[in-house]
Amino acid sequence: MTGATRDDLSWLRGRDDPRVLGFLTAENERTEREMGRFVALEAEIYAEIRSRIEERDRSVPAPRGEYFYYYRTEVGKPYRIWARAHGNPDGEEEIYLDENEIAAPHAFCRVGGHAVSPDHRYVAYVFDTTGDEDHSLRIREIATGASLPERIERAAEHLAWAADSRTLFYIARDPRKRAHRVYRHRVGFDPSEDALVYEEPHEAFHLSMRASRSRRFIFIEAASAITRESFLLDAVHPERMPVSVAGRKPGIEYQASDSGDDLLVRTNEDALNFRVLCAPLEDGRPKGDPASWPQAVPHRPHVLLEALEPFRDFWVLVEREEGQRHLRICPGRTPDGYRIDVEESVRTFLTGDNLEFETDRFRYVLSSPVTPPTVYEVVAATGERTLLKRESVPGLDPARYRAERLWATADDGARIPISLICPADLEQTGDNPCLLYGYGAYGVCLEPMFAVQVLSLVDRGFVHAIAHVRGGGELGEAWHQQGKMLSKRTTFTDFISCAERLIETGYTSPRRLGIQGRSAGGLLMGAVTNMRPELFGAVVAGVPFVDVLATMLDPSIPLTVIEYDEWGDPRRPEYYDYIRSYSPFDNVRETAYPNMLVTAGLNDPRVQFWEPARWVARLRERRTDDKLLLLRTDMGAGHTGPSDRFEWLREKAFEYAFLVGVLAPERLDA
C-alpha cells in the first residue's frame, strides 16, 4: 500500500473545512446535554478533589551553590511560582519565575521547562499557549525581573546553559513538530545570529538535551523508537562542536552521564536490559574504542536498569524487577551497594531534586496508591534516611484503603501484574464498580502512585486497578518487545485477561467494569472494545490513537515516521494487514457497545483531533445499542488537556461523574 485509505468519513480530516468545526461543536453540545443529568455529581466530585489538595504548598528547597531552589503554589492560583532563597532554605524569598503571570493573558499556557544560568543571574524558559507544543523562548534577568529583548519561537522544551552563563543552547522544531536542530544563542544578541550546532537529518529521529549535574557537559541525544545516540558538548568551551560519544548503531540505545573522571554509558548493546560502561575522557572528549571500554555495571537478565544517577562519590541505579521499581545506592562508585527498603508491596520510587554533583546524600520520593508522595534524603555511605516532607492531603485516612497486587494469566501463560486500590472493607461479591486503567506502549511503565482524584471513586465503592500489560516496560525490555510491531495484539489480549481476572476474583462484573486509557492507551481502549464489547460497562478514551492505519499511511502527519519502529510501516504489506486487523476505526462492527466517553484536543500534535472524531462518527453509524456515546473536544488545548491545574481537576471530575453515573447510578449521592 502506498497511500492513505479514503472512506466516507475522510472529510473529517479537513481542519479548515467548516463542516468539521460544525461537527465538533454539535458533538460538544450533545455531550453537554447528555451529561446534564450528572452536573450535580460532577460539581460534588470536583469540590471533593479540590478539598483534598493543599492549595498553598511548597516543595522541599534543593541546594545549588549559594541558593536553595523550590516551587510553591498559592490558594486560587492555577500555576506554580518558582523561587529561591540565599544561604538557607528559609531565607528571604526571591521569585524568579511566576507561571501565573506568564499565563495571565492566555486561555491556555503551559511552561514547558526552564533553566537558571550557572551564575544564578538569568532564567531561560519556554511556554506554549495553544497546546500544539511549539514553544516560545524567553530570557529574564532574575534580579531585576526584566525580560531580555530576544524572542525565539517554535522551540522544544529542552534548554541548557554553558558554564559562562552567557551561552544558551536550545532545540528548534520543524513544521512537522520534530525537534531537529540545536542552536547556540549568545545573551543579548539577535537570534538571527544564532549558530547551528547540530542538525538531525534522519526524519525518524528527534532531539533532546540536558546539562550534566557537574555542569561540565551538555548531552544532546538523538533518538528513534529503537536507536539512541548521545553527543557531548563541552560546556566550558561552548564554541566547540559536539562529538558523538559512541557513534550510532541501528537498534542500539545508549545514554551518557558525567561521572567526574569519566563518562558512564548506559547501553543495551549485548544487554537487553542494559549495562553500564566507563568511557575515559581526554581533553573533554571520549577516548578510545567503545568496544574496549571497561564494564561498570553488568547486565542482569531479570533486572531492567532504567536509569543511572552518578555523583562524585557514589552512584544511584534505578532498577526494575518483577514489575516494581527499586533504588540501589552504590557508595564508592561500584555496582555493589544496597537497595532502599520499603514495607509497602505496591509502591514506586522517583528520583528527587538532586542539583549538586559533589554531595554525600541523595533525595528520592516514595509513593503508593495509599501513601502520598514522600520526600526522603539518604546519606549514601551509611544508608541513614531522613524524612523531609510528606505531601499533605486534608482528610486522608490511609486506614480506609488497601492496596494490592494481583497477577493475571495471559493466553500464552505469561503472568501480568495488576496494581489496585480499593476500600479497606471491600467484599469481593462480584458486584463492585471498578475502573481498570491501561497503556501498554513505548516501554512506558504505569507506576502505582498516589493519585488524589482516585479517592473520589474509591470512596464510592470503586476498585481502581492498573493493568501492567505487555508493550509497557514493567517487566523489562522483553515485556515491551512482546507488545509492539507484529506482536501488538498481545497488549490487547493481556488487558482482556486482566479484566477477566478482576471478574473471576469477585472484584467486579462486566456491567460494573469501566476501562480507561489515553493516547496509545486510547488505542488499547478502542481495540479491546471492538474485541470484547460485552466485557465492559463503560469506556473512557482520552485523545485516543484509534485511526491507526490512516495515520501511519500518512507521513505528512507530525511524528508518523518516528512511530514506524513501534507500530510498523503499513506501506509494507505484512504491517498493513496486521495494523488493519486491530485499528479501532477500521474494526467497528454492528454490535452493542458499552457506554463511551471520548475526548480530543483541537490543537493536539500527537493524536490529531480527527482520529477520535472519525471513530465516534463510525461508531454512531454501526453500533446497535442506545447507550451513551459522547465526544468532547477541547477547542483550545492539545494532547495533555488543560494547563490550569484546577481545570485539569474539572476534567477528572467530568470523567468520574460519567463513570459513577453509568456504572454505579445507585451511588450518585454517596
Side-chain angles (χ1 to χ4, degrees):
M1 303 298 296
T2 59
T5 57
R6 296 190 62 83
D7 53 63
D8 58 342
L9 293 173
S10 60
W11 62 273
L12 275 169
R13 299 179 62 179
R15 178 180 293 272
D16 298 324
D17 188 332
R19 295 179 299 166
V20 173
L21 182 60
F23 174 87
L24 298 178
T25 300
E27 287 290 336
N28 280 350
E29 291 171 350
R30 180 203 292 258
T31 297
E32 186 175 358
R33 287 194 307 271
E34 295 284 2
M35 286 293 290
R37 73 190 82 169
F38 305 136
V39 166
L41 175 62
E42 179 186 346
E44 179 182 292
I45 293 176
Y46 173 75
E48 278 176 15
I49 301 174
R50 188 159 175 174
S51 73
R52 291 188 173 112
I53 294 173
E54 288 284 6
E55 292 191 28
R56 186 184 302 278
D57 200 7
R58 186 177 82 152
S59 66
V60 180
R64 177 185 156 191
E66 299 176 353
Y67 289 90
F68 288 80
Y69 283 84
Y70 58 92
Y71 69 83
R72 61 180 178 82
T73 53
E74 292 188 355
V75 175
K77 292 189 176 182
Y79 299 99
R80 289 177 173 179
I81 298 167
W82 298 87
R84 67 188 185 187
H86 187 267
N88 72 81
D90 297 315
E92 183 178 354
E93 179 177 88
E94 182 179 21
I95 295 173
Y96 65 89
L97 195 67
D98 186 341
E99 294 184 10
N100 297 282
E101 292 181 358
I102 299 168
H106 310 286
F108 176 98
C109 183
R110 176 168 284 114
V111 175
H114 72 267
V116 175
S117 60
D119 65 359
H120 308 276
R121 180 178 176 182
Y122 298 107
V123 59
Y125 61 96
V126 294
F127 60 98
D128 165 21
T129 59
T130 67
D132 69 355
E133 300 179 27
D134 277 343
H135 295 83
S136 300
L137 191 162
R138 304 288 186 267
I139 303 172
R140 179 178 297 175
E141 187 173 43
I142 295 175
T144 64
S147 294
L148 302 190
E150 44 259 59
R151 299 286 186 270
I152 298 171
E153 303 300 331
R154 192 173 276 175
E157 292 185 318
H158 308 278
L159 304 167
W161 288 95
D164 63 8
S165 296
R166 299 297 180 274
T167 305
L168 177 70
F169 293 92
Y170 66 93
I171 300 176
R173 286 156 56 92
D174 67 14
R176 295 187 185 179
K177 312 296 183 184
R178 184 173 70 97
H180 71 133
R181 291 176 178 168
V182 177
Y183 285 95
R184 182 175 62 240
H185 174 74
R186 291 285 294 169
V187 171
F189 286 76
D190 192 312
S192 65
E193 301 176 21
D194 291 351
L196 178 63
V197 173
Y198 176 75
E199 180 171 10
E200 174 52 54
H202 198 298
E203 60 182 352
F205 284 74
H206 62 276
L207 301 179
S208 61
M209 182 172 58
R210 57 190 168 85
S212 69
R213 187 176 282 110
S214 68
R215 294 184 281 279
R216 296 193 309 165
F217 300 112
I218 295 167
F219 295 102
I220 300 170
E221 293 172 349
S224 72
I226 61 172
T227 303
R228 181 183 293 266
E229 179 182 11
S230 288
F231 296 86
L232 188 66
L233 264 173
D234 189 332
V236 180
H237 301 93
E239 72 285 352
R240 292 182 178 178
M241 298 303 286
V243 295
S244 179
V245 172
R248 182 179 299 184
K249 296 181 181 179
I252 300 301
E253 299 178 71
Y254 71 88
Q255 189 173 42
S257 300
D258 181 22
S259 185
D261 299 327
D262 48 29
L263 298 180
L264 294 179
V265 181
R266 173 181 165 271
T267 177
N268 69 347
E269 187 165 17
D270 301 321
L272 181 64
N273 281 332
F274 292 87
R275 60 185 176 131
V276 178
L277 306 177
C278 276
L281 291 168
E282 184 175 71
D283 190 29
R285 294 291 189 263
K287 177 184 177 182
D289 183 351
S292 68
W293 292 344
Q295 181 170 266
V297 180
H299 175 253
R300 290 163 291 174
H302 303 295
V303 180
L304 174 65
L305 181 56
E306 284 192 332
L308 170 70
E309 298 278 352
F311 297 83
R312 168 64 70 181
D313 299 316
F314 66 96
W315 302 335
V316 177
L317 307 182
V318 183
E319 304 173 337
R320 187 173 293 276
E321 186 174 10
E322 283 292 293
Q324 296 277 29
R325 179 177 280 174
H326 301 271
L327 294 180
R328 181 178 296 276
I329 311 297
C330 302
R333 295 152 46 92
T334 70
D336 301 324
Y338 57 90
R339 278 183 174 176
I340 293 176
D341 293 328
V342 62
E343 295 181 358
E344 295 178 271
S345 60
V346 183
R347 79 296 178 277
T348 191
F349 289 103
L350 303 174
T351 56
D353 292 328
N354 297 282
L355 307 181
E356 294 280 49
F357 182 62
E358 297 187 9
T359 180
D360 65 347
R361 55 202 62 208
F362 177 77
R363 291 182 179 181
Y364 66 91
V365 181
L366 173 68
S367 179
S368 83
V370 298
T371 303
T374 305
V375 182
Y376 290 96
E377 185 173 78
V378 59
V379 178
T382 66
E384 179 185 355
R385 186 173 70 166
T386 303
L387 190 156
L388 300 181
K389 178 183 179 179
R390 174 163 288 158
E391 184 178 298
S392 175
V393 181
L396 174 66
D397 178 5
R400 294 178 55 192
Y401 312 102
R402 73 175 192 253
E404 297 181 3
R405 170 63 60 92
L406 300 179
W407 294 84
T409 302
D411 294 343
D412 60 2
R415 297 174 70 238
I416 312 154
I418 305 170
S419 302
L420 65 82
I421 178 177
C422 64
D425 59 355
L426 183 92
E427 296 181 6
Q428 291 168 227
T429 62
D431 197 38
N432 304 300
C434 176
L435 176 61
L436 179 62
Y437 194 92
Y439 188 74
Y442 306 109
V444 170
C445 301
L446 292 181
E447 302 294 347
M449 299 178 63
F450 184 81
V452 67
Q453 69 275 8
V454 167
L455 300 183
S456 286
L457 285 182
V458 181
D459 285 347
R460 288 173 170 80
F462 271 71
V463 177
H464 186 277
I466 301 172
H468 302 287
V469 296
R470 280 176 283 189
E474 285 89 344
L475 272 74
E477 179 56 27
W479 200 247
H480 173 209
Q481 293 185 6
Q482 291 168 23
K484 62 180 288 192
M485 304 290 277
L486 294 175
S487 298
K488 186 62 204 169
R489 292 179 68 90
T490 303
T491 301
F492 315 140
T493 54
D494 279 2
F495 189 86
I496 289 170
S497 295
C498 290
E500 291 175 334
R501 178 64 172 161
L502 290 169
I503 293 167
E504 291 167 1
T505 50
Y507 281 100
T508 191
S509 63
R511 72 183 184 90
R512 295 281 205 179
L513 177 57
I515 59 175
Q516 184 175 24
R518 288 181 60 85
S519 194
L523 160 61
L524 171 60
M525 297 301 101
V528 300
T529 303
N530 280 335
M531 293 167 69
R532 293 288 302 278
E534 80 289 350
L535 191 59
F536 314 111
V539 180
V540 178
V543 290
F545 178 39
V546 284
D547 204 357
V548 186
L549 189 61
T551 292
M552 297 303 295
L553 281 167
D554 188 351
S556 70
I557 295 173
L559 308 181
T560 289
V561 173
I562 294 173
E563 300 286 308
Y564 287 155
D565 288 327
E566 180 72 20
W567 313 100
D569 184 349
R571 293 172 298 183
R572 297 170 56 184
E574 67 271 31
Y575 287 106
Y576 179 95
D577 293 339
Y578 191 76
I579 293 172
R580 175 67 179 77
S581 76
Y582 69 74
S583 175
F585 173 81
D586 296 289
N587 287 278
V588 174
R589 51 197 175 97
E590 293 186 1
T591 190
Y593 279 86
N595 295 284
M596 300 178 71
L597 170 62
V598 183
T599 66
L602 185 63
N603 300 324
D604 190 342
R606 298 174 182 264
V607 175
Q608 300 295 309
F609 73 89
W610 48 258
E611 294 206 35
R614 279 162 48 84
W615 184 43
V616 168
R618 177 54 50 82
L619 282 163
R620 291 209 190 284
E621 290 177 348
R622 297 186 178 176
R623 63 188 292 150
T624 61
D625 61 90
D626 59 357
K627 299 187 185 76
L628 289 178
L629 173 58
L630 309 177
L631 172 64
R632 190 191 208 197
T633 303
D634 190 326
M635 309 300 280
H639 195 65
T640 55
S643 59
D644 178 318
R645 62 172 172 153
F646 301 128
E647 289 305 310
W648 185 86
L649 295 180
R650 289 189 189 281
E651 185 176 88
K652 297 298 108 182
F654 182 85
E655 294 169 356
Y656 286 0
F658 169 81
L659 288 165
V660 174
V662 299
L663 296 177
E666 76 282 1
R667 306 184 190 194
L668 292 181
D669 298 323

